[in-house]
Structure formats: structure tokens, C-alpha cells
Amino acid sequence: MFQTVRDTFYDMPDDVVLYPGHDYVETNLRFTLTYEPENADARKLLQEVKLLQQREEFYSGTIAIERKMNLFFRCSNPSLSLLHSLEKQFTQGQSKEALQVFLELRKLRDKW
């Protein structure tokens, strides 16, 4: 999964539009805010998604938006709050290379 995200999505232009094949956007935003509570982009998008759901409209976004709010798109440059959250969950002192951050996030998301 890491290789797919890294090799496919990381280098896409910001204006590429994504049409999710499932509706996990709200859940993913809540996950992001659990481990990165200061992420204003995720908080704003969560409100927008809720409004779309009330109007029974489907969300689509861009790679640029994903880079701002999707933790899995920022594993090579994680925020300090995310690193702090990961250190609470996993052994301190582990490598924080992009792959390790991704794997730790995936473990958390699998249980979340």
C-alpha cells in the first residue's frame, strides 16, 4: 500500500480530481484530527463533507486537498503533533522514515 501511494499519488499534479469509490471521507478526516488535531484543513473539510451529506451529495476532491488533510500523503514530512502521537503508541526512538510512519499509521487506522 505504501508503494502504491508513494509511486502513484505523491507525484500527481495538485489539480488532479479524485472521485472516491467509497464514502470514508468523514471517517478519514476524524482519524486525521485524532492524531493531528491542529489540522485546520481537515477540520474545515469535515464541515464541508457534513454539509454535502445533508444534501445527499458525494464528495470529490483534489490531490492538493489530500496533501493537506490525508496523513498517508504526508508520511515523508509528518507534522510534529503526528510524530508525538505516534511516539505515544509505538516504541520511542523508532525510525521516522516515510515507510515507518506509514506502517504505524496503517496499524492505527486498522484498529480505529
Side-chain angles (χ1 to χ4, degrees), residues 93-98 100-101 104:
Q94 284 186 335
S95 168
K96 293 303 176 213
E97 297 294 323
Q100 186 63 37
V101 171
E104 290 176 7

PDB file of all heavy atoms in Angstrom, residues 93-98 100-101 104:
ATOM      1  N   GLY A  93      11.929   6.231  19.626  1.00  0.00           N
ATOM      2  CA  GLY A  93      13.231   6.050  19.032  1.00  0.00           C
ATOM      3  C   GLY A  93      13.212   5.276  17.732  1.00  0.00           C
ATOM      4  O   GLY A  93      14.249   5.111  17.110  1.00  0.00           O
ATOM      5  N   GLN A  94      12.030   4.766  17.317  1.00  0.00           N
ATOM      6  CA  GLN A  94      11.971   4.083  16.035  1.00  0.00           C
ATOM      7  C   GLN A  94      12.231   5.088  14.921  1.00  0.00           C
ATOM      8  O   GLN A  94      11.975   6.266  15.052  1.00  0.00           O
ATOM      9  CB  GLN A  94      10.593   3.438  15.810  1.00  0.00           C
ATOM     10  CG  GLN A  94      10.382   2.176  16.582  1.00  0.00           C
ATOM     11  CD  GLN A  94       9.056   1.523  16.208  1.00  0.00           C
ATOM     12  OE1 GLN A  94       8.127   2.169  15.762  1.00  0.00           O
ATOM     13  NE2 GLN A  94       8.981   0.231  16.414  1.00  0.00           N
ATOM     14  N   SER A  95      12.713   4.574  13.830  1.00  0.00           N
ATOM     15  CA  SER A  95      12.950   5.403  12.656  1.00  0.00           C
ATOM     16  C   SER A  95      11.659   6.068  12.221  1.00  0.00           C
ATOM     17  O   SER A  95      10.601   5.458  12.258  1.00  0.00           O
ATOM     18  CB  SER A  95      13.491   4.535  11.518  1.00  0.00           C
ATOM     19  OG  SER A  95      13.471   5.248  10.313  1.00  0.00           O
ATOM     20  N   LYS A  96      11.746   7.304  11.817  1.00  0.00           N
ATOM     21  CA  LYS A  96      10.568   8.008  11.321  1.00  0.00           C
ATOM     22  C   LYS A  96      10.702   8.258   9.823  1.00  0.00           C
ATOM     23  O   LYS A  96      10.302   9.282   9.301  1.00  0.00           O
ATOM     24  CB  LYS A  96      10.342   9.312  12.097  1.00  0.00           C
ATOM     25  CG  LYS A  96       9.959   9.064  13.540  1.00  0.00           C
ATOM     26  CD  LYS A  96       8.703   8.195  13.637  1.00  0.00           C
ATOM     27  CE  LYS A  96       8.379   7.868  15.066  1.00  0.00           C
ATOM     28  NZ  LYS A  96       7.783   6.592  15.283  1.00  0.00           N
ATOM     29  N   GLU A  97      11.272   7.266   9.152  1.00  0.00           N
ATOM     30  CA  GLU A  97      11.284   7.301   7.689  1.00  0.00           C
ATOM     31  C   GLU A  97       9.844   7.185   7.222  1.00  0.00           C
ATOM     32  O   GLU A  97       8.983   6.689   7.938  1.00  0.00           O
ATOM     33  CB  GLU A  97      12.122   6.145   7.139  1.00  0.00           C
ATOM     34  CG  GLU A  97      13.584   6.201   7.521  1.00  0.00           C
ATOM     35  CD  GLU A  97      14.311   7.385   6.912  1.00  0.00           C
ATOM     36  OE1 GLU A  97      14.011   7.738   5.752  1.00  0.00           O
ATOM     37  OE2 GLU A  97      15.162   7.956   7.600  1.00  0.00           O
ATOM     38  N   ALA A  98       9.591   7.624   6.005  1.00  0.00           N
ATOM     39  CA  ALA A  98       8.226   7.647   5.471  1.00  0.00           C
ATOM     40  C   ALA A  98       7.543   6.281   5.585  1.00  0.00           C
ATOM     41  O   ALA A  98       6.377   6.195   5.980  1.00  0.00           O
ATOM     42  CB  ALA A  98       8.236   8.128   4.027  1.00  0.00           C
ATOM     43  N   GLN A 100       8.082   3.842   7.745  1.00  0.00           N
ATOM     44  CA  GLN A 100       7.755   3.537   9.141  1.00  0.00           C
ATOM     45  C   GLN A 100       6.548   4.352   9.606  1.00  0.00           C
ATOM     46  O   GLN A 100       5.662   3.826  10.281  1.00  0.00           O
ATOM     47  CB  GLN A 100       8.964   3.803  10.054  1.00  0.00           C
ATOM     48  CG  GLN A 100       8.735   3.381  11.487  1.00  0.00           C
ATOM     49  CD  GLN A 100       8.516   1.884  11.624  1.00  0.00           C
ATOM     50  OE1 GLN A 100       9.127   1.095  10.927  1.00  0.00           O
ATOM     51  NE2 GLN A 100       7.620   1.498  12.518  1.00  0.00           N
ATOM     52  N   VAL A 101       6.495   5.625   9.257  1.00  0.00           N
ATOM     53  CA  VAL A 101       5.347   6.461   9.615  1.00  0.00           C
ATOM     54  C   VAL A 101       4.079   5.872   8.995  1.00  0.00           C
ATOM     55  O   VAL A 101       3.049   5.740   9.655  1.00  0.00           O
ATOM     56  CB  VAL A 101       5.563   7.921   9.167  1.00  0.00           C
ATOM     57  CG1 VAL A 101       4.293   8.747   9.333  1.00  0.00           C
ATOM     58  CG2 VAL A 101       6.717   8.550   9.945  1.00  0.00           C
ATOM     59  N   GLU A 104       2.998   2.646  10.832  1.00  0.00           N
ATOM     60  CA  GLU A 104       2.423   2.944  12.140  1.00  0.00           C
ATOM     61  C   GLU A 104       1.018   3.524  11.990  1.00  0.00           C
ATOM     62  O   GLU A 104       0.105   3.151  12.728  1.00  0.00           O
ATOM     63  CB  GLU A 104       3.336   3.878  12.929  1.00  0.00           C
ATOM     64  CG  GLU A 104       4.621   3.186  13.367  1.00  0.00           C
ATOM     65  CD  GLU A 104       5.591   4.110  14.079  1.00  0.00           C
ATOM     66  OE1 GLU A 104       5.240   5.271  14.376  1.00  0.00           O
ATOM     67  OE2 GLU A 104       6.718   3.673  14.344  1.00  0.00           O
TER      68      GLU A 104
END
